[in-house]
Amino acid sequence: ANKKWATLDFAYIEPSLTKKLSDDDIAAVLVSINAVNKLESLKLTGCVNIAGHGLNPLRGSTVLKQLDLSLVGQHESPNIGSADDGPLLSEDVVIPILESIIDNEETSSLKQLQLPKKFRSIGCSNINKPMISQLVDNFILKYDSFLEHFGGTCTKCKGDDAYWGNENINGIPWFIDDEESSFYGLQNFTCYICTQHFCHTGTCVGRCVECEKVYCNDCVTMEAETCRECLEGKKSTC
């Protein structure tokens, strides 16, 4: 199969340019590459100037497998501004597009989604309790159910332990819906790099507390809940 334009990561574009890209620019790129029928992985690294209208060409995609809306690079902190002073991504624009991609469980291919930090902590009622958007919260529950529909088979484990069915494993959901958790709105079980599913019964997969992405042990080395790349990045700034 022709895999041209199967992956699009704006991390490979000069940051001074990506921060200037508009929704019209993103939409034009997606239309020009026939993204709705070809694009399997999209990472909007550095595209802080878009509200989300530029993603409209992806509505109803049945081929998209991975979508990273964190707006940061692979080993970068997602903390790039508050809901009131930060990226322009709008939940009112983006969530309906995401829903159109997962509406049909039988045809959708989406298996790894990284929401922006902005969507995961909308506003603040007091210093300790963020006010979560009902629109985002409803989508999180819907996407969690969508992932449960397919069940899970650990890529690494063998035998009876490899498959855990369509239920949350050991009380851990596919998509974290606990508003008290600092990882609210993040996906479990799926490696950010290889996008394969892994169980939490052993040491198959872990989340880096710095970049907040999940990695399997084959793709990234973890040290004390932090990936080695993030640790090296912290050391270089000391």
Side-chain angles (χ1 to χ4, degrees), residues 99-109 146 150:
E99 289 182 332
S100 77
I101 295 174
I102 66 171
D103 269 344
N104 192 327
E105 293 179 338
E106 303 305 323
T107 59
S108 178
S109 300
F146 167 82
F150 299 102

Side-chain angles (χ1 to χ4, degrees), residues 8-14 18 21 26 29-30 42-47:
L8 178 59
D9 185 354
F10 284 86
Y12 295 102
I13 299 176
E14 176 61 40
T18 54
L21 292 175
I26 300 297
V29 170
L30 295 180
L42 174 61
K43 300 177 181 180
L44 293 172
T45 309
C47 298

Side-chain angles (χ1 to χ4, degrees), residues 56-78:
N56 271 313
L58 289 175
R59 278 185 176 273
S61 171
T62 59
V63 298
L64 189 67
K65 298 178 181 179
Q66 180 179 37
L67 179 58
D68 182 0
L69 299 173
S70 68
L71 306 182
V72 296
Q74 183 171 309
H75 297 291
E76 296 177 354
S77 169

Side-chain angles (χ1 to χ4, degrees), residues 26-232:
I26 300 297
V29 170
L30 295 180
V31 169
S32 70
I33 65 174
N34 190 18
V36 70
N37 294 310
K38 291 185 176 181
L39 192 63
E40 297 178 3
S41 176
L42 174 61
K43 300 177 181 180
L44 293 172
T45 309
C47 298
V48 296
N49 196 42
I50 66 170
H53 298 287
L55 298 176
N56 271 313
L58 289 175
R59 278 185 176 273
S61 171
T62 59
V63 298
L64 189 67
K65 298 178 181 179
Q66 180 179 37
L67 179 58
D68 182 0
L69 299 173
S70 68
L71 306 182
V72 296
Q74 183 171 309
H75 297 291
E76 296 177 354
S77 169
N79 299 309
I80 53 173
S82 67
D84 299 319
D85 180 24
L88 301 181
L89 272 183
S90 167
E91 68 206 55
D92 294 323
V93 175
V94 173
I95 295 300
I97 297 172
L98 295 179
E99 289 182 332
S100 77
I101 295 174
I102 66 171
D103 269 344
N104 192 327
E105 293 179 338
E106 303 305 323
T107 59
S108 178
S109 300
L110 192 63
K111 59 190 299 188
Q112 203 279 327
L113 172 65
Q114 203 80 17
L115 291 177
K117 189 78 169 185
K118 177 181 179 180
F119 286 12
R120 301 192 287 113
S121 53
I122 306 297
C124 192
S125 57
N126 60 55
I127 194 169
N128 295 316
K129 176 67 176 177
M131 294 188 300
I132 302 300
S133 160
Q134 193 61 53
L135 183 64
V136 173
D137 196 53
N138 288 342
F139 172 76
I140 285 173
L141 295 175
K142 183 175 182 177
Y143 185 54
D144 180 67
S145 177
F146 167 82
L147 292 171
E148 282 186 18
H149 171 76
F150 299 102
T153 301
C154 183
T155 305
K156 200 163 189 177
C157 291
K158 305 297 182 182
D160 294 337
D161 293 332
Y163 182 69
W164 69 82
N166 61 356
E167 299 294 331
N168 293 340
I169 185 169
N170 295 336
I172 304 173
W174 275 91
F175 219 71
I176 301 173
D177 56 5
D178 179 5
E179 296 178 10
E180 302 292 336
S181 171
S182 59
F183 296 138
Y184 169 78
L186 292 177
Q187 185 168 336
N188 288 315
F189 306 138
T190 310
C191 176
Y192 178 81
I193 295 178
C194 67
T195 68
Q196 297 299 309
H197 299 319
F198 297 86
C199 67
H200 271 273
T201 55
T203 57
C204 300
V205 70
R207 183 186 307 282
C208 174
V209 297
E210 296 294 331
C211 62
E212 298 188 350
K213 293 180 172 71
V214 168
Y215 303 105
C216 72
N217 292 338
D218 289 333
C219 289
V220 170
T221 299
M222 301 287 289
E223 297 180 19
E225 298 186 328
T226 305
C227 61
R228 180 173 293 174
E229 288 79 359
C230 283
L231 280 174
E232 292 300 321

